Amino acid sequence: MSKLLQDSAFFCLAISLIGYEIGIILRQKTKLALCNPLLISIVFVIIILKVTNIKYEVYEDGSSLLSYLLTPSTVCLAIPLHQQMGLLKKNMKAILAGILSGVFTSLAGVWVFSMLFHLDKKIYATLLPKSITTAIGMGISEELGGIVTITVAAIIITGIIGNMFGDVICRLCGIRHPIATGLAIGTASHAMGTAKAMEIGEIEGAMSSLSIAVAGLMTVIGATIFYQLY
Amino acid sequence: MKFVRQFMIILAISFVGELLHALLPLPVPASIYGLVLMLIGLQTGILPLNAVNEAGGFLIEIMPMLFIPAGVGLMVSWGALKPVIIPISIIIVVTTILVMAVSGRIAQFILKKEDKKHE
């Protein structure tokens, strides 16, 4: 049985998409941020692999179509960025200052805490890109010699926090302006936070998705500089 | 055919991104080179939006699913994660809240100042 599943060309891809679908259904039924489809599908696939006794390498091979599409999909983030160029140009100063300060806070925060906890440089590099979108974050972590799978985990947990508490945190901090709210959520918690920002409002959603690309680009440069500091 | 042509353009840009990543000695992922290239193309009008719009929209829509394999990779890196799970959790929670507060407050401060100027 295990041999049959291992040799199957479709099993790994199928369980990935089934897990995602289960996540979407659970999210709709429970409305809980914790029922994040990505999180649910990851847990679902891990359980199936453990039960069927299939090694990760086999799964990695079988689901390579998903990883394959990651780069073209990230490239396409240029499309919403292009479409929102008008809004960006009009509020250029506030938007860039907001995102830049957020990116700096994220990197400086990881730096200070890593020193405080005496973390290994490998772990430090792993955590530096934790606030940005997974595609870019994975790339940075890989370039700096971090542990990519932990980076992905950190990014997902960050996203879940932003998705669950983004609006509450903004309200507690006195952030009310729609542009500022969108920027804050997008800069701190990338695409998963953006899903929340889209629910709050159109401007919030647009600003949040803009922040994903801009914060991602700034972090590419910022993480490289901060990596040298440690 | 339209969809295939759009996909072809996106893959071609991704490939050029890969080339730049291989040739330039910078720690920039291939996807970012591609993103910047596509943005330049769209902004200058060399690449019309309708040449990539539908396939691009599809790729952005399915993006969260593309991270499943990386997430499942946790089952092999769990050993490395386990000893540092507490500091990592603290760092994630605290910095996420801090980033939100700082970027939101600073953007709001400048937005309000500029609004007053216009009044």
Side-chain angles (χ1 to χ4, degrees):
Chain A
M1 181 64 181
S2 181
K3 176 92 175 74
L4 178 75
L5 293 179
Q6 280 189 29
D7 291 342
S8 164
F10 307 107
F11 177 69
C12 294
L13 200 52
I15 56 169
S16 309
L17 298 190
I18 291 169
Y20 199 83
E21 197 59 39
I22 294 174
I24 292 176
I25 295 169
L26 276 178
R27 153 72 69 70
Q28 281 167 349
K29 289 248 189 286
T30 62
K31 303 243 179 281
L32 287 175
L34 198 63
C35 288
N36 184 280
L38 176 58
L39 187 71
I40 302 272
S41 56
I42 290 168
V43 174
F44 178 79
V45 170
I46 291 180
I47 293 172
I48 298 280
L49 294 185
K50 290 273 182 211
V51 169
T52 53
N53 220 351
I54 292 176
K55 281 210 175 72
Y56 174 68
E57 288 71 24
V58 176
Y59 170 77
E60 198 180 18
D61 216 36
S63 63
S64 58
L65 177 69
L66 294 177
S67 323
Y68 170 79
L69 288 175
L70 204 50
T71 297
S73 156
T74 312
V75 170
C76 290
L77 282 177
I79 297 172
L81 198 55
H82 167 70
Q83 288 167 326
Q84 287 152 25
M85 216 36 133
L87 201 56
L88 171 70
K89 277 181 184 151
K90 205 172 140 230
N91 301 291
M92 185 73 113
K93 223 167 86 188
I95 292 172
L96 287 184
I99 301 176
L100 185 67
S101 61
V103 167
F104 179 79
T105 307
S106 175
L107 295 171
V110 172
W111 182 52
V112 170
F113 276 107
S114 297
M115 284 200 292
L116 225 60
F117 291 123
H118 303 291
L119 294 181
D120 195 63
K121 190 161 184 178
K122 207 176 170 68
I123 300 288
Y124 173 64
T126 301
L127 290 180
L128 274 178
K130 69 154 204 60
S131 263
I132 59 169
T133 190
T134 320
I136 304 177
M138 277 167 76
I140 295 177
S141 177
E142 210 173 347
E143 289 297 330
L144 297 181
I147 306 163
V148 177
T149 46
I150 297 184
T151 301
V152 173
I155 289 173
I156 292 173
I157 298 166
T158 303
I160 293 171
I161 296 173
N163 193 302
M164 285 174 90
F165 305 113
D167 49 343
V168 183
I169 297 170
C170 282
R171 216 178 315 129
L172 287 178
C173 296
I175 301 164
R176 287 190 186 80
H177 198 294
I179 293 181
T181 307
L183 286 179
I185 297 179
T187 306
S189 53
H190 53 91
M192 287 162 83
T194 300
K196 179 59 147 209
M198 296 266 188
E199 285 171 26
I200 304 176
E202 213 169 89
I203 299 177
E204 284 87 341
M207 279 298 117
S208 189
S209 47
L210 171 80
S211 313
I212 300 174
V214 180
L217 291 175
M218 285 181 179
T219 304
V220 171
I221 303 161
T224 316
I225 298 169
F226 266 85
Y227 179 71
Q228 311 294 338
L229 292 180
Y230 202 71
Chain B
M1 263 323 274
K2 191 172 101 187
F3 203 78
V4 176
R5 193 174 301 133
Q6 294 192 350
F7 205 68
M8 175 196 82
I9 293 171
I10 294 167
L11 287 186
I13 295 174
S14 307
F15 171 64
V16 178
E18 248 178 355
L19 277 184
L20 288 175
H21 174 75
L23 294 175
L24 302 175
L26 301 169
V28 177
S31 54
I32 295 302
Y33 283 122
L35 193 162
V36 173
L37 280 177
M38 187 183 272
L39 187 62
I40 293 172
L42 289 169
Q43 285 287 312
T44 54
I46 295 170
L47 179 67
L49 184 58
N50 62 23
V52 288
N53 206 6
E54 284 82 12
F58 169 74
L59 283 173
I60 292 176
E61 203 183 315
I62 62 162
M63 204 176 189
M65 278 172 233
L66 308 182
F67 304 124
I68 299 173
V72 173
L74 264 184
M75 63 190 273
V76 283
S77 57
W78 176 241
L81 181 62
K82 217 170 146 193
V84 283
I85 186 98
I86 292 169
I88 286 186
S89 307
I90 295 173
I91 291 175
I92 290 175
V93 173
V94 176
T95 54
T96 303
I97 296 173
L98 270 180
V99 171
M100 228 179 259
V102 170
S103 62
R105 289 297 295 212
I106 288 190
Q108 184 165 279
F109 176 74
I110 299 175
L111 286 166
K112 278 186 176 166
K113 218 170 68 179
E114 289 190 340
D115 278 349
K116 269 194 198 128
K117 241 193 276 172
H118 292 305
E119 271 166 19

